[in-house]
Amino acid sequence: VSVTEKIEDNLVLNNEKKISFKVSVSDETSKVSKIQIGTKSGFSDSEKIKEIQATDGEITVELSTSDLPSGAKDGNYTLYVRALDNAQNKSSDVEAGSFILDNTCPSVKIANPSSGKTVNKTILISGTVKDDNLSSSELPVLYVYNGNSFVEQSQGVSEKSFNSSDSSWSLK
């Protein structure tokens, strides 16, 4: 087994995303019959999270949160893959890469304007956002409720800032 395309670095997996990687498998004697994926090296049959019927060659593996054990906690995971041949011999486990499981919504607090305040001029909207997986290069996005749905409001926003040290943000 060799991993020909690892999982993208720092990929965050949630209910809306899938992760994928490519492996190349072969067995000259009895041919590959399936591959198994687990979240720790040396995983047992009961610990495998996915099993795919396979033949010799390159295979693209896709995983979603539904492939993970129920109750999987947010955090960092590393995937390992191994092949089984038709005689049920198992290859060594090979690392396919790591990902971050994140199914927890960020916590947002608006500091300005205060709740219920009516405004009729350009104002500074500010607050804090907390999320374990929010990078310092990501800015919050303003959504405005138009009576029917939330719409991203980028038009008219002249300034954006995010301070990763205290999680504060502002839009003007």
Side-chain angles (χ1 to χ4, degrees):
V1 175
S2 65
V3 176
T4 56
E5 188 177 302
K6 283 192 163 198
I7 297 168
E8 179 184 327
D9 285 342
N10 299 315
L11 183 70
V12 176
L13 176 65
N14 59 30
N15 287 325
E16 298 174 7
K17 294 182 181 176
K18 291 184 177 187
I19 55 175
S20 65
F21 58 93
K22 290 182 181 178
V23 296
S24 179
V25 294
S26 65
D27 183 296
E28 291 182 21
T29 308
S30 64
K31 305 295 180 203
V32 171
S33 64
K34 56 188 160 189
I35 60 171
Q36 295 177 331
I37 297 100
T39 57
K40 67 178 190 177
S41 182
F43 61 92
S44 68
D45 283 344
S46 64
E47 293 172 315
K48 71 180 176 253
I49 60 170
K50 190 166 191 170
E51 184 171 88
I52 301 169
Q53 299 303 312
T55 58
D56 290 9
E58 189 169 78
I59 300 156
T60 298
V61 178
E62 282 194 350
L63 293 171
S64 66
T65 54
S66 63
D67 293 311
L68 298 174
S70 64
K73 304 250 187 263
D74 284 2
N76 296 308
Y77 289 84
T78 302
L79 290 179
Y80 296 88
V81 62
R82 66 177 168 226
L84 281 77
D85 65 15
N86 286 308
Q88 298 305 301
N89 297 311
K90 294 179 185 176
S91 71
S92 300
D93 295 351
V94 176
E95 184 181 326
S98 299
F99 67 93
I100 301 165
L101 178 62
D102 182 9
N103 284 314
T104 303
C105 295
S107 165
V108 178
K109 292 184 181 174
I110 297 176
N112 187 54
S114 57
S115 180
K117 185 174 183 180
T118 302
V119 296
N120 62 359
K121 60 183 179 181
T122 300
I123 62 166
L124 177 70
I125 302 171
S126 62
T128 58
V129 60
K130 301 244 188 249
D131 188 311
D132 291 340
N133 298 306
L134 183 66
S135 77
S136 60
S137 64
E138 296 175 294
L139 288 171
V141 177
L142 175 64
Y143 284 87
V144 176
Y145 189 68
N146 66 8
N148 295 316
S149 61
F150 285 94
V151 178
E152 183 178 341
Q153 184 67 44
S154 56
Q155 196 170 356
V157 175
S158 60
E159 297 174 26
K160 294 181 180 183
S161 69
F162 179 62
N163 182 339
S164 60
S165 64
D166 67 0
S167 301
S168 63
W169 55 269
S170 64
L171 302 168
K172 190 172 187 178

